[in-house]
Amino acid sequence: MEPGPERVILCPHCGHKARVGTIRSYSMIGAIAWTDGKISSMAPDLPAITRCVACSEFYWISEAKVVGEFHEWGSYRVRSADPADSSVGQWLEGGPPAEWLSLEPVRHLAGEEYLLAIRKGLARTERDEKYLRISAWWSHNDQYRTVEANLEAKGSLSGQVRENLERLRELLDEDDYSDRLFKAEIERELGHFDEARRLLAFDFPEHVREVAVFIDQLAQRGDTLVRKIPKGNW
Ligand SMILES: [Zn+2]
């Protein structure tokens, strides 16, 4: 993994500064793929949306103003203060301002926060809503990824988690193979095994065919847990 410079951004609501990492390149060696579509890898998992530590409002990181960039032990540059001038300043040596180094990094939202962000109007497009609902779902499933999870540990889904999956299901297009696979997995996790299997009986492209077969086997077993996709199947 090759990290890029750290960025200093401003909360669009209150102007509080935060830092966010960037990545130049990373490798997928050793990555783990899950049936819900999440891929765990060595690459730093940078959030797309966050919540300001000062004012508690949500914001998309891509929409926050960047005021500077820096390397922890090296050069830095300040973005122009003139909003009409988006040009980036020269890299300066001598280490970044101490204030920048002490900034808190932006954080990922927790499961319920993704849903709260939707209620607060952060999903301006269907694509945003899909992103937020998938993130809420993955975040809920995270508790079953770390340990050797079993079905008893899962119990029944809370109303909020179920509602999220039901709404996400409506946003997915059955004619799109990737959406269809997501949808089949949602039906399986909701315990609708026949519906999951109906969706999986489809001419998926080669590179996900084995994943569909694997999810189908889980549905046949009556398994509703998120599962690691065995190596060699993706
Ligand atoms: Zn703020």
Side-chain angles (χ1 to χ4, degrees):
M1 197 269 300
E2 197 194 334
E6 294 275 313
R7 277 201 181 120
V8 179
I9 59 171
L10 298 182
C11 164
H13 305 280
C14 74
H16 185 78
K17 290 193 185 84
R19 65 193 267 181
V20 58
T22 61
I23 312 168
R24 251 195 261 276
S25 65
Y26 60 88
S27 145
M28 292 302 280
I29 294 169
I32 297 166
W34 300 88
T35 49
D36 63 0
K38 181 165 177 171
I39 294 183
S40 317
S41 77
M42 297 293 282
D45 184 15
L46 299 172
I49 186 168
T50 192
R51 194 169 192 179
C52 175
V53 291
C55 72
S56 293
E57 291 295 333
F58 296 98
Y59 65 92
W60 292 99
I61 288 163
S62 61
E63 293 172 11
K65 187 170 160 35
V66 178
V67 292
E69 284 179 305
F70 67 99
H71 295 282
E72 190 96 28
W73 305 112
S75 54
Y76 70 102
R77 59 182 171 183
V78 180
R79 293 276 179 107
S80 169
D82 176 1
D85 176 10
S86 60
S87 68
V88 175
Q90 293 289 314
W91 282 99
L92 306 167
E93 295 305 323
E99 183 212 5
W100 289 9
L101 292 170
S102 64
L103 294 175
E104 244 181 280
V106 291
R107 67 167 176 90
H108 282 277
L109 302 184
E112 334 73 72
E113 287 181 313
Y114 288 106
L115 303 176
L116 180 57
I118 294 172
R119 292 200 293 279
K120 287 185 144 245
L122 273 285
R124 282 168 301 191
T125 62
E126 212 165 79
R127 196 162 159 265
D128 289 346
E129 184 177 350
K130 218 157 119 177
Y131 175 85
L132 292 168
R133 292 196 183 279
I134 288 174
S135 300
W137 175 30
W138 287 358
S139 168
H140 168 78
N141 275 346
D142 283 349
Q143 61 189 305
Y144 308 116
R145 296 182 217 272
T146 46
V147 285
E148 201 46 65
N150 56 60
L151 286 170
E152 291 78 56
K154 183 176 176 183
S156 60
L157 296 176
S158 76
Q160 190 168 246
V161 171
R162 180 173 288 274
E163 260 168 49
N164 179 50
L165 290 180
E166 286 168 356
R167 174 69 190 129
L168 176 56
R169 184 172 61 181
E170 288 167 26
L171 296 172
L172 298 169
D173 174 9
E174 281 185 24
D175 296 327
D176 175 284
Y177 80 86
S178 159
D179 274 15
R180 191 177 177 108
L181 207 51
F182 269 122
K183 201 164 173 173
E185 172 68 2
I186 288 170
E187 297 294 2
R188 179 182 77 81
E189 291 189 22
L190 286 170
H192 306 149
F193 304 118
D194 290 344
E195 180 58 7
R197 300 201 64 204
R198 179 191 72 78
L199 290 162
L200 292 166
F202 180 77
D203 189 17
F204 285 102
E206 186 79 39
H207 69 284
V208 292
R209 213 164 282 165
E210 290 300 314
V211 175
V213 169
F214 180 66
I215 295 175
D216 189 65
Q217 288 165 353
L218 295 172
Q220 284 183 58
R221 288 211 298 268
D223 186 336
T224 60
L225 272 177
V226 64
R227 296 286 183 186
K228 210 179 274 186
I229 297 170
K231 282 278 172 212
N233 289 33
W234 63 284

